């Protein structure tokens, strides 16, 4: 408020001299403690006197008393307090912290803002080697946020609860202005989903191969979604939820990896037929050895299926046979080769 520290000091000395001459004993005691606080700040650089301050425990007790008086004054507006407006003004000018919790929170927020400016995000690791205190603070904000959500914004909260709440709408707004993520796991899930969408744009499907070298983490994630989905259907513990299932279904995500591989080979066989005019793929087909083996497996599957009774036949296998028949699949490769040789 003042143009220079010197002017403030001069005004302060005048006020103390006036109190020493004309003030009451209580008033003199208050200003002596304030003078001790001024000296403490000159030495340490702040007014945050520890609760257990052995060099001057009386000063520590006085500081705590000022905070308590200030809090009571705010809660009970019309109640007379020994901490009048003039004293509050002097304490504010000195940089006194009336609400330590709020001050501590703001310090944490400033550190997070610097972190965001440096790295472009607020995903501070819980074990942050360069600033473990910030990592702990960020974790506490998420915990406080979830507790706040569980409590709900009840209209009948007392004034005391509002003042002492760890998380408030104002704090939420400030953190979200930095792009703060409340649920890290959910955020990571959606980041992988975006990569899956990019994969689909390039390849036309969501079946990321397990050996996909371009992004091995995405391949693991896709595999994990299938495992989680299976647990979800069984009703066992799973992080998969209805919303995730709907989102993945909208991308035509294939939940059964075996079925996905079968369809992949079926498509390769269709392309083979378009090229050569038949489905008799050699077992040692150099261009695609896996396709040659797969075609042989389909014939083995067909023979086993036909030997089963009608009651025990698999619906899945029947559907696959129907699809192969639609393509004009040759179930007897020997007779097909003989016919081609005669021709």
């Amino acid at each position: 408020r003042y143009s220079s520290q010197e002017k403030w000091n001069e005004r302060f000395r005048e006020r103390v001299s006036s109190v020493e001459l004309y003030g009451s004993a209580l008033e003199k005691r208050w200003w002596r403690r304030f003078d001790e606080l001024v000296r403490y700040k000159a030495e340490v650089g702040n007014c945050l006197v520890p609760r257990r301050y052995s060099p001057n425990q009386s000063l520590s007790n006085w500081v705590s008393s000022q905070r308590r008086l200030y809090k009571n004054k705010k809660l009970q507006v019309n109640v007379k307090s020994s901490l009048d407006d003039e004293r509050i003004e002097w304490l504010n000018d000195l940089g006194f912290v009336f609400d330590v919790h709020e001050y501590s929170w703001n310090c944490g927020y400033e550190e997070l803002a610097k972190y965001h400016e440096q790295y472009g995000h607020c995903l501070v690791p819980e074990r942050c080697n360069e600033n473990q205190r910030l990592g702990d603070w960020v974790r506490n904000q998420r915990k406080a946020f979830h507790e706040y959500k569980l409590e709900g914004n009840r209209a009948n909260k007392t004034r005391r609860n509002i003042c002492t709440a760890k998380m408030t709408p104002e704090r939420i707004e400030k953190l979200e202005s930095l792009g703060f993520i409340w649920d890290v796991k959910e955020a990571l899930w959606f980041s992988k989903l975006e990569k899956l969408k990019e994969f689909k744009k390039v390849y036309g499907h969501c079946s990321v191969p397990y050996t996909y070298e371009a992004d091995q983490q995405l391949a693991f994630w896709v595999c994990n979604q299938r495992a989680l989905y299976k647990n979800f259907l069984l009703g066992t513990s799973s992080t998969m939820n209805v919303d995730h299932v709907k989102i993945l279904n909208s991308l035509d995500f294939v939940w059964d990896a075996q079925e996905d591989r079968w369809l992949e080979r079926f498509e390769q066989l269709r392309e083979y037929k378009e090229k050569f005019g038949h489905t008799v793929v050699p077992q040692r087909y150099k261009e695609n050895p896996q396709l040659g083996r797969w075609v042989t497996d389909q014939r083995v599957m067909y023979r086993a299926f036909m030997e089963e009774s009608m009651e025990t036949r698999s619906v899945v296998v029947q559907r696959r046979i129907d699809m192969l028949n639609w393509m004009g699949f040759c179930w007897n490769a020997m007779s097909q080769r003989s016919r081609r040789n005669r021709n």
Side-chain angles (χ1 to χ4, degrees):
R1 292 190 56 182
Y2 306 100
S3 57
S4 66
Q5 186 64 42
E6 288 77 14
K7 284 190 176 182
W8 188 91
N9 290 338
E10 183 181 348
R11 186 168 179 268
F12 168 61
R13 286 192 294 271
E14 289 174 358
R15 186 70 181 90
V16 171
S17 299
S18 174
V19 169
E20 289 295 331
L21 288 172
Y22 308 108
S24 65
L26 289 173
E27 202 172 3
K28 289 177 182 177
R29 191 179 303 131
W30 191 92
W31 281 96
R32 283 168 188 164
R33 290 284 178 249
F34 184 79
D35 184 38
E36 290 173 5
L37 183 62
V38 171
R39 296 173 190 276
Y40 177 91
K41 185 183 179 182
E43 181 180 346
V44 178
N46 60 55
C47 299
L48 299 170
V49 184
R51 280 192 174 184
R52 294 182 180 179
Y53 183 54
S54 54
N56 191 344
Q57 189 59 47
S58 298
L59 175 61
S60 177
N61 296 340
W62 179 84
V63 165
S64 297
S65 176
Q66 303 314 297
R67 291 188 178 121
R68 186 170 58 253
L69 290 167
Y70 181 81
K71 185 178 179 180
N72 291 337
K73 184 169 182 171
K74 288 292 182 182
L75 291 174
Q76 303 173 19
V77 179
N78 297 322
V79 176
K80 190 174 180 181
S81 172
S82 60
L83 187 66
D84 56 30
D85 292 342
E86 184 202 5
R87 292 180 179 182
I88 291 173
E89 186 177 3
W90 276 101
L91 286 165
N92 279 330
D93 285 342
L94 189 62
F96 187 82
V97 175
F98 286 105
D99 190 333
V100 179
H101 296 295
E102 187 69 16
Y103 174 81
S104 177
W105 192 91
N106 286 328
C107 287
Y109 179 81
E110 287 175 9
E111 288 188 38
L112 181 63
K114 291 177 184 175
Y115 184 94
H116 179 270
E117 186 177 349
Q118 182 176 356
Y119 296 102
H121 61 79
C122 296
L123 295 171
V124 184
E126 286 197 9
R127 295 181 180 180
C128 184
N129 294 329
E130 59 187 79
N131 193 341
Q132 185 57 52
R133 184 174 59 185
L134 179 59
D136 294 339
W137 185 86
V138 166
R139 185 183 66 250
N140 290 335
Q141 300 317 298
R142 293 194 176 106
K143 183 180 177 183
F145 176 78
H146 291 303
E147 289 174 356
Y148 174 83
K149 284 294 182 183
L150 286 173
E151 273 183 36
N153 261 331
R154 286 184 291 226
N156 61 348
K157 277 186 177 180
T158 64
R159 189 180 296 239
R160 180 178 179 276
N161 285 335
I162 291 170
C163 290
T164 59
K166 289 184 179 179
M167 186 55 64
T168 64
E170 292 75 22
R171 289 183 178 182
I172 292 171
E173 185 178 353
K174 287 185 73 174
L175 287 166
E176 289 183 347
S177 70
L178 293 178
F180 192 85
I181 294 170
W182 300 108
D183 191 329
V184 178
K185 290 182 180 178
E186 190 74 355
L188 290 174
W189 191 90
F190 276 99
S191 70
K192 293 298 183 189
L193 179 71
E194 288 304 312
K195 290 189 176 182
L196 182 62
K197 287 179 179 178
E198 292 173 8
F199 179 92
K200 187 180 181 182
K201 281 182 182 178
V202 176
Y203 299 100
H205 60 80
C206 297
S207 301
V208 184
Y210 193 72
T211 55
Y212 183 51
E213 294 182 0
D215 192 341
Q216 193 66 63
Q217 292 298 319
L218 178 61
F220 292 158
W221 183 82
V222 166
C223 183
N224 191 41
Q225 298 314 296
R226 290 177 177 136
L228 292 170
Y229 179 71
K230 189 179 291 184
N231 291 337
F232 175 75
L233 292 178
L234 294 171
T236 55
S237 178
S238 174
T239 55
M240 183 61 68
N241 57 53
V242 175
D243 291 334
H244 288 181
V245 172
K246 286 180 179 178
I247 292 169
L248 289 169
N249 280 339
S250 70
L251 297 176
D252 298 322
F253 188 86
V254 177
W255 297 105
D256 190 331
Q258 290 183 345
E259 181 70 7
D260 186 40
R261 283 194 291 271
W262 192 92
L263 291 171
E264 183 181 356
R265 296 285 180 252
F266 180 84
E267 180 62 21
Q268 290 172 358
L269 180 62
R270 186 189 62 77
E271 292 173 358
Y272 179 93
K273 186 181 180 183
E274 283 184 2
K275 184 176 182 180
F276 297 102
H278 61 83
T279 59
V280 185
V281 184
Q283 284 192 6
R284 297 179 180 178
Y285 180 45
K286 291 183 180 180
E287 290 186 27
N288 190 345
Q290 293 89 351
L291 180 60
R293 289 193 293 270
W294 181 83
V295 166
T296 301
D297 290 342
Q298 302 316 296
R299 295 189 177 106
V300 172
M301 172 200 72
Y302 177 76
R303 288 194 293 270
F305 178 81
M306 296 306 290
E307 291 174 1
E308 292 179 0
S309 64
M310 295 294 292
E311 292 78 13
T312 58
R313 287 179 177 179
S314 167
V315 176
V316 173
V317 174
Q318 180 65 66
R319 181 175 56 79
R320 291 178 177 180
I321 290 171
D322 291 342
M323 289 177 68
L324 289 166
N325 282 334
W326 170 82
M327 188 190 289
F329 187 78
C330 177
W331 297 106
N332 192 330
M334 293 295 291
S335 62
Q336 178 75 10
R337 288 196 186 97
S338 298
R339 192 179 302 112
R340 285 167 56 202
N341 289 335
R342 284 198 300 272
N343 293 336

